[in-house]
Amino acid sequence: MSKPAMVNLLDLTPSDAEELLREFAHANGVGAYRGSQVARRLWTAPATGFDAMVEIPKAFREQLAERFTLPRLTLITEQRSTDGTRKFLFQMHDGQAIETVAIPDGDRMTFCVSSQAGCALKCSFCATGAMGFLRNLDTYEIAGQVRELAMLDEPLLATNIVFMGMGEPLMNWPAVDKVLTILNKPNGFGIGARHITISTVGWLPGIESLAKRPEQFRLAISVHAPSDALRATLMPVNTKFPLADVIAAAAKFDRRVTFEYVMLGGVNDATPHAEQLASLARECKAFVNLIPLHPGGSMGFVPTTPERIAAFARQIRKKGVEVAIRKSRGIDIAAACGQLRVERQPRRRPVSADEHS
Ligand code: SAH
């Protein structure tokens, strides 16, 4: 009889993994409860490997290791900002590198996770866009970023997750869908849905899929320009999914939506832009987040001055729209999208998204 294929437990939803482990325990003559004990060590109390599950009999641990895997991500570098932000570069089994950022803020610890290696969308101010698309991350590679940080000698435990690292999460929906379950369920990381934000350029099929999930996951839309003409120059995806359709999808999404708006000096920061942006936000009752441009790797754009950002915010607020100016974090460690990897790695040949679908 041929050997059964190895199963990666970290690519399954917590409930599926537990069911499988209970059956396996039972079939191997130890109580099914042993399967539940192992399942706890996937996410809730993560273990570095079967060896580390000291509460499990050694013989059963050896049987587990013959049938199942718990793949790790390799931490290549860590950078610490003077403001407490920490940025991690992880290597995948095929050598691809991705970034994860941990941002402490009072009682909160927000992890900014990557969903793809590279990105196909080529937004003109974004360092990840300049790399091109390399590949989608698997479920275990996305959830694994949170898991690895929980297994550091001094564990970092996320209270909030934002999909604002490398990649477009809604172009990797099957993996992201499962990751949301792992992050949210009590037998996963148990992070409340309202504390998990998916950020997208406005990839419409993905917004529809997200809207079908019953949990209150947050949606953030990278708007960055209030008209099609300007947006198309910054975000090529606007040709495929024009602003009006994205705004309509946001209006239909019956949960809170945030607009992300990177302030690009002399490009999208004039008074008429504020007025147009405010009226779009009113259409879908969105909250507006103004993001100071992260200077590292920002491709020739210049940041809007803090005074102008403040005035822009006032102009939006005057129209009755809620607006906040995002604090720039980790400026000294190149913590914006794609910036650490760009510093550390030579560019590779990008592939088109279709080659990987
Ligand atoms: N693809 C998704 C998520 C990844 S980017 C999206 O576009 O929403 C997360 C956010 O960082 C986006 O709003 C993106 O536009 C923004 N961003 C990219 N480069 C930046 C830079 N240099 N400075 C500030 N924000 C940047």
Side-chain angles (χ1 to χ4, degrees):
M1 217 172 73
S2 67
K3 228 174 135 212
M6 300 291 274
V7 176
N8 176 356
L9 291 171
L10 304 179
D11 243 350
L12 306 175
T13 63
S15 300
D16 287 351
E18 181 168 0
E19 198 183 312
L20 192 63
L21 285 163
R22 288 180 66 91
E23 279 167 18
F24 184 79
H26 182 71
N28 282 278
V30 301
Y33 76 98
R34 291 287 186 195
S36 296
Q37 278 182 312
V38 175
R40 245 181 70 72
R41 305 293 249 131
L42 303 181
W43 310 108
T44 333
T48 51
F50 296 112
D51 291 353
M53 301 180 186
V54 291
E55 70 280 25
I56 306 291
K58 190 156 184 292
F60 185 51
R61 277 188 266 155
E62 285 166 4
Q63 289 170 321
L64 286 163
E66 281 170 21
R67 184 78 177 86
F68 299 109
T69 61
L70 292 175
R72 302 284 308 271
L73 313 182
T74 312
L75 181 57
I76 332 180
T77 350
E78 180 193 340
Q79 293 184 348
R80 283 183 198 230
S81 165
T82 49
D83 70 14
T85 302
R86 292 165 70 178
K87 178 152 178 163
F88 302 86
L89 190 67
F90 288 111
Q91 191 161 47
M92 314 288 109
H93 64 89
D94 63 349
Q96 291 292 353
I98 50 159
E99 305 169 354
T100 311
V101 184
I103 309 160
D105 192 7
D107 298 343
R108 276 195 289 189
M109 173 60 81
T110 302
F111 286 4
C112 178
V113 299
S114 294
S115 55
Q116 299 180 315
C119 182
L121 294 170
K122 303 205 177 314
C123 298
S124 55
F125 48 83
C126 175
T128 305
M131 279 172 214
F133 178 72
L134 298 156
R135 71 171 171 86
N136 275 328
L137 299 185
D138 289 331
T139 297
Y140 81 93
E141 292 170 323
I142 305 173
Q145 297 165 55
V146 183
R147 188 174 190 271
E148 288 296 334
L149 298 187
M151 296 192 302
L152 293 174
D153 291 339
E154 286 174 44
L156 287 178
L157 303 178
T159 61
N160 295 63
I161 303 280
V162 294
F163 284 78
M164 294 187 187
M166 296 163 71
E168 168 51 48
L170 295 185
M171 289 179 80
N172 186 13
W173 177 252
V176 167
D177 189 20
K178 232 189 286 173
V179 172
L180 291 174
T181 303
I182 295 171
L183 294 174
N184 176 239
K185 291 286 186 238
N187 57 0
F189 287 109
I191 300 169
R194 288 183 181 80
H195 297 157
I196 300 173
T197 301
I198 292 90
S199 180
T200 177
V201 295
W203 194 260
L204 295 183
I207 295 178
E208 279 170 23
S209 306
L210 180 63
K212 284 191 192 125
R213 292 216 35 161
E215 305 92 338
Q216 299 282 313
F217 297 118
R218 301 276 194 212
L219 175 66
I221 296 187
S222 291
V223 175
H224 304 328
S227 68
D228 279 319
L230 179 59
R231 195 165 186 264
T233 68
L234 302 173
M235 304 176 68
V237 70
N238 195 74
T239 321
K240 189 171 174 71
F241 298 126
L243 197 50
D245 296 351
V246 174
I247 300 299
K252 237 175 69 188
F253 194 80
D254 64 356
R255 311 194 284 261
R256 179 169 131 146
V257 174
T258 304
F259 282 1
E260 305 285 297
Y261 196 90
V262 177
M263 300 296 298
L264 304 168
V267 175
N268 65 355
D269 59 354
T271 302
H273 296 130
E275 286 166 357
Q276 282 172 289
L277 181 62
S279 70
L280 293 179
R282 287 178 72 110
E283 272 179 51
C284 47
K285 300 188 188 65
F287 179 96
V288 176
N289 244 330
L290 301 178
I291 312 171
L293 176 69
H294 225 292
S298 58
M299 319 322 148
F301 291 95
V302 293
T304 300
T305 62
E307 298 73 32
R308 179 63 206 137
I309 297 181
F312 197 88
R314 281 195 299 275
Q315 288 164 342
I316 291 174
R317 202 168 291 126
K318 243 184 21 210
K319 300 274 175 196
V321 172
E322 271 189 281
V323 53
I325 301 170
R326 174 95 60 80
K327 270 188 272 179
S328 238
R329 299 291 302 262
I331 293 262
D332 50 337
I333 57 166
C337 195
Q339 293 181 347
L340 178 59
R341 181 183 148 132
V342 166
E343 278 179 5
R344 295 274 309 185
Q345 292 219 315
R347 287 200 183 157
R348 297 184 186 211
R349 182 187 74 91
V351 294
S352 80
D354 303 337
E355 282 178 58
H356 274 260
S357 59

